[in-house]
Amino acid sequence: MENTTPMMRQYLEIKKQYPGTILFFRLGDFYEMFNEDAIIGSRELEITLTARQKDSPRPIPMCGVPHHAASNYIARLVKKGYRVAICDQAEVATKDIKLVKREVVRVITPGTAIDSQLIESKENIFLAAMCGSGESFGISYLDLSTGEFFATQISGNDAWQKTCSDIESFAPRELLFPKSLEQLVANTFNNSSSLTLSDASKFSTSLTSIDDWQFHLEDAMNLLKKQFNVLELTGFGLQNKNEAIRAASACLRYAQETQRATAEHIAEINYFEANDFMVLDAVTLRNLDITDSPSSHKRSLLNVVDSTVTGMGARLLKSWLLRPSIKRSEIQTRLSAVSELTDSILRDKIRYLLKEISDLERLVGRLNLGTCSPRDLLALNRSLSQTPNINSTLSDVKSLLLQVLSENIFDLPEIRSLIDNSIADEPPMNITDGGVIRQGFNVELDELRNVSNDAKKIIAVFEEQEKQRTGIATLKVKFNNVFGYFIEVSKGQTSRVPTDYERRQTLSNAERYTTPQLKEWEEKVLGAEEKIIEIEAELFKQIRAEVQKETRNLQSTARALATLDALCSLAETATKRNYVPPILHDGDEIEIKDGRHPIVEAFSTNTFIPNDLTMNNSTDRLLIITGPNMGGKSTNLRQVALIQILAQIGSFVPAKSAKLPILDRIWTRVGASDDLASGRSTFMVEMTETATILHNSTPRSLILLDEIGRGTSTFDGLSIAWAVAEYLHDSPEHSAKTLFATHYHELTELAETLVGAKNYQITATEKDGEVVFLHKLEKGKANKSYGIAVAQLAGLPNKTIARAKEVLEKLEKYELAVFATEKKGLDKVARKQIASQFSLFAISNENVVDEIRDMELDKISDSDAKSLLAEMQRKII
């Protein structure tokens, strides 16, 4: 650093304080990057890489972006997982200051984004923190843009697995963890789990290790108490939840340090347990297409029911779908509200007013983080101007929830009046651009504006007077940031310059001068303009502080409006799609009449065929569903789960009627995919997911199993499927209601021996040699799978189809023969003889036998016969 300039020494000192970040260093109208930051910035932002001190032995790599466009460049870096520190001037540059003071005003990371370029209105941006060890881990989630703050603590032998599953369901943009857990986190999340996290979001999760001291328990408690202004944390449900407290504190401290703000809008924390809502793990969310993911192609349950008109309403509705309620009273109050909102006149009035509401949650966040702009205050004011009309519209509602919402929507007339009187109608984005404060709000400001305006007029008059006095028609009075105001005269006219002109600068074709009178007016103009910016900034700060005092009421209003929007969305969906209110009860029966798959129905051009279904924990606990490929087995499985989820968020459901219990969890094992990153085959993934279900399901769960055991040999797979079905039926602890779709027709025999097992089939028929899918779910077992018919529809060659039919016929005889030998009690030798007649080898060799049978021996020469025998010998297995 000895040979560097003062400015570069300043840069290097600041950079040292922010390792692992790209430092945006303000120089004039640009943010500059140097050294390694410049190389990264040039590559990632596709901007020109230059150098400082190019002629020196070691030039300094350098690149930059205009300060007015910096937010877009920063967003691109943060979306790629980089952290960006913004370093601005901390004092006004003057002639007396050679090096202005600079400091980092904010660090932007993937989990602390609050700028519009980095966040989507319908998505929460969660920063997560986790800590713990062994059998106890704490996790916290913070959306800095809204102030939503959650924490939980997970204990038990499988605590780490459940912790990872919980993190997957929230899909945070950034995960903080102590350096002591670096290896564990790296081993887990750098493999398949990091990919799973990105399935639930358009952004992957950035992993950030921080020093262990930041998780110190006593410091953590004190930080949270100070933030929430309380003496104890018991009221937040955090008593004896030390790991959760440590994680929450790390989240909060990280947010405060990166934002350089106290973040007062984070006013409470919600502690939750896994059993506080229906659990839908990442696998189930993906298999059921609950929310958007790369595989759903915008065809998700969220797309079907989301008719919200505000970003905060959309985020709330999505959170309901990710974590459906298990509290019957809460669900019923939502259902009552949705029922009342099916009145189209009432609903349309509310939705019309809600369309004028900005994202109050995020406006309040920016207000408390000090990034609120003048236009944000106008948006807040426009939103508040609608609250009296909304409360008026809700004045006669009958449902308890709508009444409570109305009581929590505040008009705040004082705030509206303050903003109306203080902020200009069309203010600039930045306070430093001037023109933020309305004329008439502040006397001193108005006077300075008059001085500035008058001075500019006087200078214009001065220019005209000097032209006449000197006779120099081309004389100009100009301004720049270096010399201020000056008189410019071309070289050919300098002989006419009066003696009272003082030379300021010589150019190639002109001379620049000043006069005592011009200096006097310059001081007035520039002094007034600087003072105007200073006063406007101070006034805006005071106005923002006054509005900030109403943070609690603004947050209450925002949450009430978000809830109202989400309820209206469910009512809109119910009306548009002909959904009905479900009947929730304390028993265990699921009774659905004419149920429909909400996603398939919404996006299909064909008429959806509804189906009935009855389940309970006794006589109809295990439903074994057989039927043809493409017949609708998977659709029926999923539609039961989706109807249950809709009911538990307080929504009407796609059915003629639905009587439903409250479920604690929905498990799914459907589809097939390799986990190549961790070296797991399709079958291994299937077995791992199945094992998780068998170990953790309860009688209050619903399980969807689709084609268990298809990833291995036929008899291995059948054996596993059989054993799984028996276990789920017989286990007192894990006997959940189970829908088991399978092509193993042998499993239908379970219904003859298990009291709670029932056979169902998806019906199909054949007409003129073609299969016709009826898509109806009926009691009984299917006698065919129609797989070859489906293969024919897919376009397999006719010769392949014909051969498949021959092989199928022989395999079916083989299967019947094998089962017959077991029933007859034949010995091993007899069973082996029968089996050998129908083995796949025998079937394959029959091709050779058929060729011999068709030969015309009289027409074959000796040499041809020898060749044919050699070819047949090769074909025989």
Side-chain angles (χ1 to χ4, degrees):
M1 291 179 58
E2 294 179 359
N3 298 323
T4 58
T5 63
M7 186 277 292
M8 281 305 299
R9 284 198 294 272
Q10 183 187 53
Y11 167 83
L12 293 171
E13 285 291 342
I14 295 173
K15 174 65 179 176
K16 189 188 301 182
Q17 300 171 36
Y18 295 90
T21 67
I22 295 176
L23 184 63
F24 270 43
F25 191 75
R26 181 71 179 268
L27 287 178
D29 291 335
F30 280 79
Y31 280 112
E32 301 290 356
M33 291 163 271
F34 299 101
N35 298 324
E36 184 64 25
D37 286 359
I39 295 171
I40 295 172
S42 174
R43 181 185 68 237
E44 299 292 353
L45 300 175
E46 299 177 342
I47 56 179
T48 303
L49 180 66
T50 61
R52 193 177 182 90
Q53 302 174 2
K54 293 181 180 179
D55 298 331
S56 68
R58 299 179 63 183
I60 301 171
M62 172 183 176
C63 69
V65 299
H67 79 93
H68 62 272
S71 56
N72 292 323
Y73 290 103
I74 292 170
R76 288 167 61 183
L77 288 172
V78 174
K79 285 179 180 178
K80 293 182 178 184
Y82 293 100
R83 295 155 48 91
V84 178
I86 303 173
C87 182
D88 274 330
Q89 294 180 182
E91 60 183 348
V92 178
T94 66
K95 296 178 182 178
D96 299 327
I97 299 177
K98 293 183 179 180
L99 180 65
V100 298
K101 181 182 177 182
R102 291 180 175 87
E103 61 184 30
V104 171
V105 296
R106 189 174 160 216
V107 179
I108 305 173
T109 74
T112 58
I114 59 174
D115 302 290
S116 58
Q117 295 90 345
L118 281 166
I119 58 180
E120 297 181 18
S121 63
K122 295 189 175 186
E123 298 287 336
N124 276 106
I125 311 299
F126 283 118
L127 168 70
M130 59 80 56
C131 63
S133 61
E135 297 184 1
S136 184
F137 289 89
I139 327 168
S140 68
Y141 306 95
L142 170 63
D143 186 335
L144 187 59
S145 70
T146 66
E148 296 169 85
F149 201 9
F150 306 95
T152 187
Q153 186 162 311
I154 298 173
S155 301
N157 294 329
D158 55 354
W160 177 242
Q161 180 184 349
K162 289 182 177 178
T163 296
C164 295
S165 179
D166 196 81
I167 292 171
E168 284 181 326
S169 70
F170 273 85
R173 294 280 183 88
E174 185 173 9
L175 175 63
L176 310 175
F177 54 91
K179 288 185 177 179
S180 58
L181 292 180
E182 205 159 22
Q183 192 60 51
L184 177 62
V185 172
N187 291 341
T188 304
F189 289 99
N190 281 347
N191 293 323
S192 61
S193 294
S194 62
L195 300 175
T196 303
L197 285 174
S198 63
D199 282 347
S201 172
K202 296 171 185 170
F203 295 82
S204 59
T205 296
S206 177
L207 304 177
T208 304
S209 64
I210 56 180
D211 293 332
D212 284 43
W213 68 261
Q214 297 195 52
F215 293 87
H216 185 264
L217 181 59
E218 186 176 351
D219 292 341
M221 287 182 172
N222 291 334
L223 180 63
L224 293 177
K225 289 176 185 178
K226 181 180 178 181
Q227 179 71 22
F228 305 137
N229 194 26
V230 296
L231 296 176
E232 297 291 338
L233 297 174
T234 305
F236 298 105
L238 291 171
Q239 186 175 15
N240 299 324
K241 304 298 182 183
N242 293 345
E243 299 299 339
I245 291 171
R246 292 170 61 211
S249 171
C251 242
L252 180 60
R253 179 181 285 108
Y254 188 79
Q256 291 175 341
E257 290 177 351
T258 56
Q259 303 306 300
R260 297 293 189 272
T262 57
E264 293 181 12
H265 66 301
I266 306 173
E268 61 182 10
I269 186 168
N270 297 304
Y271 181 82
F272 68 90
E273 298 279 4
N275 58 7
D276 287 344
F277 45 78
M278 178 198 284
V279 179
L280 301 171
D281 60 25
V283 173
T284 298
L285 291 173
R286 192 164 54 248
N287 287 336
L288 296 179
D289 290 324
I290 301 299
T291 59
D292 290 340
S293 69
S295 62
S296 71
H297 304 295
K298 294 289 185 182
R299 296 187 175 186
S300 66
L301 185 61
L302 179 61
N303 294 139
V304 174
V305 301
D306 185 4
S307 295
T308 54
V309 294
T310 70
M312 51 192 179
R315 293 193 298 271
L316 180 62
L317 181 58
K318 182 177 180 179
S319 73
W320 288 355
L321 282 173
L322 292 174
R323 288 169 285 280
S325 176
I326 61 170
K327 300 174 183 176
R328 186 177 169 190
S329 59
E330 181 178 47
I331 300 169
Q332 289 292 172
T333 57
R334 289 184 193 169
L335 284 170
S336 297
V338 171
S339 181
E340 186 165 4
L341 290 170
T342 55
D343 179 342
S344 60
I345 296 176
L346 173 63
R347 186 177 70 256
D348 288 347
K349 284 182 180 179
I350 295 172
R351 283 165 58 82
Y352 176 79
L353 295 169
L354 286 173
K355 288 177 182 178
E356 299 300 315
I357 303 291
S358 298
D359 198 330
L360 281 179
E361 285 183 332
R362 285 183 167 157
L363 284 176
V364 173
R366 292 197 290 274
L367 179 71
N368 282 269
L369 291 170
T371 61
C372 174
S373 72
R375 294 180 187 179
D376 284 336
L377 287 186
L378 289 186
L380 186 147
N381 194 37
R382 284 195 300 271
S383 301
L384 289 178
S385 68
Q386 301 302 320
T387 56
N389 297 327
I390 292 175
N391 279 327
S392 176
T393 305
L394 295 174
S395 59
D396 295 325
V397 293
K398 302 296 188 295
S399 72
L400 177 61
L401 180 53
L402 292 181
Q403 291 174 1
V404 171
L405 293 179
S406 179
E407 293 171 359
N408 285 275
I409 298 174
F410 296 97
D411 295 345
L412 302 178
E414 297 84 1
I415 294 300
R416 286 159 45 205
S417 177
L418 172 62
I419 297 173
D420 274 335
N421 294 329
S422 62
I423 305 298
D425 291 334
E426 296 182 4
M429 279 295 296
N430 300 312
I431 302 170
T432 54
D433 291 338
V436 170
I437 304 300
R438 184 184 293 277
Q439 188 77 16
F441 180 72
N442 182 272
V443 174
E444 183 183 3
L445 181 61
D446 291 345
E447 290 176 351
L448 286 169
R449 282 174 173 167
N450 290 335
V451 169
S452 178
N453 293 333
D454 290 344
K456 290 177 182 178
K457 292 177 184 177
I458 290 173
I459 287 175
V461 171
F462 172 79
E463 180 183 88
E464 191 61 34
Q465 289 174 345
E466 290 302 299
K467 285 180 180 180
Q468 294 178 6
R469 180 165 80 97
T470 62
I472 304 174
T474 57
L475 180 149
K476 298 288 184 183
V477 177
K478 295 183 178 181
F479 173 86
N480 67 32
N481 290 325
V482 177
F483 294 103
Y485 285 96
F486 55 84
I487 301 168
E488 186 170 285
V489 179
S490 62
K491 282 287 178 74
Q493 300 292 322
T494 55
S495 60
R496 295 186 176 187
V497 170
T499 57
D500 60 338
Y501 275 32
E502 301 174 19
R503 182 179 280 108
R504 298 284 303 274
Q505 185 182 20
T506 298
L507 304 179
S508 60
N509 59 352
E511 295 284 348
R512 290 176 174 176
Y513 305 89
T514 187
T515 69
Q517 186 180 4
L518 184 59
K519 287 180 180 178
E520 180 183 346
W521 283 107
E522 180 184 42
E523 290 178 4
K524 289 184 178 181
V525 173
L526 297 183
E529 290 180 350
E530 289 178 4
K531 191 66 174 177
I532 286 170
I533 297 298
E534 182 182 325
I535 292 176
E536 282 205 303
E538 183 59 31
L539 288 173
F540 183 77
K541 184 178 179 181
Q542 293 172 10
I543 295 164
R544 189 175 63 195
E546 284 299 311
V547 178
Q548 192 174 336
K549 291 177 182 178
E550 294 292 343
T551 291
R552 302 296 172 267
N553 287 334
L554 286 169
Q555 287 181 319
S556 173
T557 300
R559 288 166 186 165
L561 292 173
T563 305
L564 185 61
D565 189 18
L567 293 170
C568 283
S569 177
L570 294 179
E572 181 81 6
T573 302
T575 304
K576 182 170 63 176
R577 303 195 181 279
N578 194 29
Y579 289 5
V580 300
I583 299 172
L584 297 171
H585 60 89
D586 296 325
D588 58 37
E589 302 90 356
I590 294 178
E591 296 179 11
I592 300 172
K593 300 292 184 184
D594 287 344
R596 312 187 303 276
H597 191 298
I599 306 173
V600 175
E601 180 186 47
F603 293 102
S604 175
T605 56
N606 300 320
T607 302
F608 190 89
I609 299 174
N611 277 300
D612 300 343
L613 184 124
T614 300
M615 297 187 77
N616 55 46
N617 279 25
S618 54
T619 59
D620 293 78
R621 182 188 313 161
L622 172 64
L623 305 190
I624 300 170
I625 304 174
T626 52
N629 287 296
M630 293 177 60
K633 295 191 299 296
S634 296
T635 298
N636 271 275
L637 260 64
R638 288 172 168 89
Q639 83 180 32
V640 175
L642 293 174
I643 287 173
Q644 184 72 46
I645 290 169
L646 285 175
Q648 287 191 225
I649 71 168
S651 171
F652 285 20
V653 298
K656 185 177 181 180
S657 66
K659 181 181 178 183
L660 304 168
I662 304 294
L663 300 182
D664 65 354
R665 184 160 190 164
I666 293 177
W667 299 88
T668 60
R669 163 79 288 278
V670 300
S673 61
D674 287 323
D675 185 354
L676 299 178
S678 59
R680 298 192 302 168
S681 66
T682 299
F683 185 64
M684 186 61 181
V685 172
E686 177 184 328
M687 290 298 99
T688 301
E689 293 178 1
T690 303
T692 301
I693 294 172
L694 298 186
H695 285 301
N696 296 283
S697 61
T698 74
R700 291 183 60 209
S701 301
L702 173 66
I703 300 174
L704 311 182
L705 300 178
D706 195 355
E707 304 299 349
I708 288 289
R710 302 295 285 185
T712 185
S713 69
T714 301
F715 290 113
D716 273 358
L718 174 57
S719 303
I720 292 170
W722 188 292
V724 167
E726 282 186 341
Y727 181 87
L728 290 173
H729 179 277
D730 296 338
S731 171
E733 185 180 356
H734 304 294
S735 57
K737 287 181 280 290
T738 304
L739 292 167
F740 199 141
T742 182
H743 280 101
Y744 291 134
H745 288 256
E746 295 82 357
L747 293 183
T748 59
E749 294 187 18
L750 288 169
E752 299 175 12
T753 58
L754 302 180
V755 66
K758 293 289 185 294
N759 284 327
Y760 278 79
Q761 62 173 315
I762 297 292
T763 56
T765 187
E766 288 186 275
K767 184 178 182 180
D768 299 328
E770 294 186 4
V771 63
V772 178
F773 300 110
L774 303 179
H775 302 295
K776 289 299 292 183
L777 180 67
E778 298 178 353
K779 288 186 176 181
K781 54 186 178 180
N783 54 11
K784 294 183 70 175
S785 288
Y786 298 99
I788 295 177
V790 173
Q792 189 169 11
L793 289 174
L796 266 65
N798 292 333
K799 186 175 181 180
T800 303
I801 296 298
R803 181 59 182 154
K805 290 178 179 179
E806 292 175 5
V807 174
L808 175 63
E809 182 180 358
K810 290 179 172 59
L811 286 175
E812 286 176 340
K813 288 180 181 179
Y814 165 58
E815 185 177 7
L816 291 172
V818 170
F819 276 92
T821 62
E822 291 184 356
K823 291 181 180 179
K824 290 177 182 178
L826 298 179
D827 60 24
K828 290 183 179 179
V829 175
R831 286 202 298 271
K832 187 174 182 180
Q833 286 179 335
I834 294 173
S836 66
Q837 298 174 25
F838 298 99
S839 71
L840 287 173
F841 298 121
I843 293 168
S844 179
N845 292 340
E846 280 192 9
N847 287 327
V848 179
V849 175
D850 289 340
E851 287 183 38
I852 295 173
R853 187 179 292 114
D854 294 337
M855 284 181 183
E856 297 183 36
L857 298 179
D858 294 339
K859 297 181 180 180
I860 300 176
S861 66
D862 292 345
S863 60
D864 288 342
K866 187 175 181 180
S867 298
L868 285 171
L869 284 171
E871 177 65 18
M872 289 176 185
Q873 190 177 50
R874 184 185 64 78
K875 289 182 179 180
I876 293 174
I877 298 175

